[in-house]
């Protein structure tokens, strides 16, 4: 704020004055005496006051705009107490299109509306189970596929992070197959295979001496470094060693060894990573866990939570509202998927460790705080899985759940969240 008048004076004032003066001369006759900027410095107390007021007002505009937008976006997607798609000619089709949208914003609002309908609009919720003649399959099956796609993506990111695919080995180049061709019989002598552009052998003594010196120089240049070092004269090596002993102390020679140079480089690199300039180059554990849990480059935790809660609520309400029995055949797959997801989240939390660039995540408390998003998603899946087991536990045999599936689901839903250090053990 106080530097702006100085920068304006040095770099921008003359240009702004010339532009304004040239524009004003079109409409008014301005004498030459007033064509130069006033001599008073622009960082007068009045200018400082104006710059401060302008900066304050600009900051207030940014903050108020951001606050208003945040409050507006945080509102439930309703229009006159009805879902946004209620006015559409095909409300369920519009909602389904939003669930399958590629852009993040309409997709997020569609999942939010689905969550609201599944909890608060019984008539619209029941229509999900009754719409069985839609193009692409029953509406429930398409909604289930859109929601489970979010969960499958989460499991894929965890598996890719913990088990990266091995690099593909390049296939050896295949030798071209020679094809025999029947040619005409040769009627001349074969061509010479010698170098026809090679120089003639030296004849005089001077040429022979130059040829010997040139051959020695070429052999020294073509030889590998180890051979050149071995073929160098002992006197030259003694002379170089004497110069090093006379110039460097023993401590300096020890510091110039390969191991010490590596340690010095590593110390400077770690110092750079700890500085504010090294922030873009630090791959922190929290950043890695957030990318795995929410996706990248744009993560959306609310979409995952809305998808899980929507499927859970619709599944439980189907016990009363699903007249065609379309939902019960998918309950076993949902329970198994939620169980696997909880196990994968727990496995990632146990196995993921800070990388070498993560210079600030030290100690159990910092590591535990790095898995905040992982713990939140794990709590969501445990709550949803527990609700499904309460609603459908007595129908496990009919739904196709084995005793092992039920036992694993109960263990995943009831396992308490442990501290990071305890889980690592």
């Amino acid at each position: 704020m106080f530097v702006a008048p100085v920068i304006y004076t040095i770099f921008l004032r003359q240009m702004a004055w010339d532009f304004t003066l040239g524009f004003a001369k079109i409409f008014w006759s301005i004498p030459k005496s007033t064509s130069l900027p006033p001599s008073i410095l622009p960082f007068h107390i009045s200018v400082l006051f104006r710059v401060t007021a302008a900066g304050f007002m600009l900051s207030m505009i940014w903050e108020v705009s951001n606050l208003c937008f945040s409050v507006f976006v945080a509102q439930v997607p309703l229009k006159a107490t009805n879902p946004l798609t209620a006015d559409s000619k095909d409300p369920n089709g519009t909602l389904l299109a939003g669930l399958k949208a590629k852009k993040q914003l309409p997709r997020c609002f569609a999942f939010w509306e689905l969550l609201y309908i599944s909890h608060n609009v019984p008539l619209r919720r029941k229509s999900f189970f009754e719409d069985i003649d839609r193009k692409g399959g029953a509406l429930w099956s398409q909604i289930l596929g859109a929601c489970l796609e979010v969960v499958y993506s989460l499991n894929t990111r965890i598996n890719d992070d913990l088990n990266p695919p091995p690099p593909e080995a390049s296939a050896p180049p295949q030798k071209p197959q020679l094809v025999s061709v029947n040619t005409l019989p040769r009627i001349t002598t074969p061509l010479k295979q010698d170098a026809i552009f090679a120089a003639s052998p030296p004849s005089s003594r001077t040429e022979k001496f130059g040829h010997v010196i040139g051959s020695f120089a070429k052999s020294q240049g073509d030889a590998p470094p180890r051979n050149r070092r071995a073929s160098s004269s002992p006197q030259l090596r003694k002379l170089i060693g004497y110069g090093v002993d006379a110039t460097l102390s023993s401590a300096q020679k020890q510091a110039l060894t390969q191991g010490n140079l590596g340690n010095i480089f590593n110390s400077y690199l770690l110092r750079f990573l700890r500085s504010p300039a090294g922030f873009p180059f630090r791959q922190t554990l929290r950043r890695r866990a957030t990318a795995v849990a929410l996706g990248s480059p744009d993560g959306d935790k609310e979409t995952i939570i809305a998808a899980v809660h929507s499927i859970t609520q619709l599944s439980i309400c189907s016990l009363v509202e699903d007249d065609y029995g379309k939902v019960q055949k998918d309950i076993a797959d949902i329970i198994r998927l939620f169980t696997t997801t909880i196990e994968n989240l727990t496995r990632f939390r146990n196995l993921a460790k800070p990388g070498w660039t993560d210079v600030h995540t030290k100690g159990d408390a910092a590591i535990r705080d790095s898995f905040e998003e992982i713990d939140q998603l794990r709590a969501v899946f445990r709550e949803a899985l527990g609700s499904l087991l309460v609603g459908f536990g007595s129908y496990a045999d009919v739904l196709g759940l084995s005793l092992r599936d039920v036992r694993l689901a109960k263990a995943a839903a009831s396992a308490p969240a442990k501290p990071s250090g305890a889980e690592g053990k």
Side-chain angles (χ1 to χ4, degrees), residues 157-421:
R157 290 192 298 269
I158 295 176
N159 293 328
D160 291 344
D161 184 88
L162 295 179
N163 304 308
E168 297 181 359
S170 59
Q174 298 180 357
K175 295 182 179 180
Q177 297 180 357
L178 299 179
V179 181
S180 61
V181 179
N182 297 325
T183 59
L184 296 175
R186 185 181 299 275
I187 60 177
T188 61
T189 59
L191 297 176
K192 294 179 61 177
Q193 302 296 329
D194 301 335
I196 60 177
F197 294 103
S200 59
S203 58
S204 63
R205 180 178 301 177
T206 304
E207 292 178 354
K208 291 181 179 179
F209 179 76
H211 179 71
V212 172
I213 296 298
S215 300
F216 175 77
K218 291 179 180 179
S219 63
Q220 293 296 315
D222 295 338
R226 184 174 299 177
N227 294 341
R228 290 202 302 266
R229 190 163 54 247
S231 62
S232 58
S233 63
Q235 292 81 3
L236 181 60
R237 291 200 299 268
K238 289 182 180 179
L239 183 61
I240 294 175
Y242 175 78
V244 172
D245 294 337
T247 306
L248 302 177
S249 63
S250 58
Q252 291 174 335
K253 290 188 292 183
Q254 181 67 23
L256 290 177
T257 59
Q258 185 175 2
N260 287 337
L261 287 177
N263 295 334
I264 294 174
F265 175 77
N266 291 337
S267 64
Y268 279 107
L269 181 59
L270 292 177
R271 187 181 304 175
F272 169 75
L273 290 174
R274 293 189 183 97
S275 65
F279 174 78
F281 305 96
R282 291 198 296 263
Q283 180 63 30
T284 62
L285 182 59
R286 183 183 184 88
R287 190 181 303 174
R288 174 188 169 191
T290 302
V292 170
L294 309 182
S296 62
D298 298 324
D300 191 2
K301 177 175 62 177
E302 305 303 329
T303 298
I304 302 176
I305 296 175
V308 173
H309 283 314
S310 299
I311 288 299
T312 304
Q313 183 66 19
L314 289 174
S315 300
I316 294 174
C317 293
S318 68
L319 292 170
V320 179
E321 300 174 357
D322 184 14
D323 298 333
Y324 299 102
K326 289 287 186 179
V327 178
Q328 65 176 6
K329 62 184 180 62
D330 299 317
I331 298 299
D333 294 334
I334 297 174
I335 292 178
R336 293 191 190 100
L337 179 59
F338 285 5
T339 303
T340 303
T341 305
I342 295 174
E343 293 174 350
N344 286 337
L345 290 171
T346 304
R347 184 165 60 97
F348 176 81
R349 199 180 191 282
N350 293 339
L351 298 180
K353 302 298 179 184
W356 69 274
T357 59
D358 192 0
V359 293
H360 293 310
T361 305
K362 305 296 181 183
D364 294 340
I367 294 177
R368 185 168 57 252
D369 294 340
S370 300
F371 295 109
E372 181 179 356
E373 286 78 9
I374 296 292
D375 292 338
Q376 291 178 0
L377 292 182
R378 192 164 56 163
V380 169
F381 279 99
R382 280 175 174 162
E383 180 184 356
L385 184 57
S387 301
L388 290 175
L389 290 176
V390 171
F392 295 94
S394 57
Y395 309 107
D397 296 336
V398 180
L399 297 175
L401 289 171
S402 62
L403 295 177
R404 180 177 180 273
D405 294 334
V406 176
R407 185 177 67 254
L408 292 177
K410 289 182 178 180
S414 61
K418 299 178 182 179
S420 178

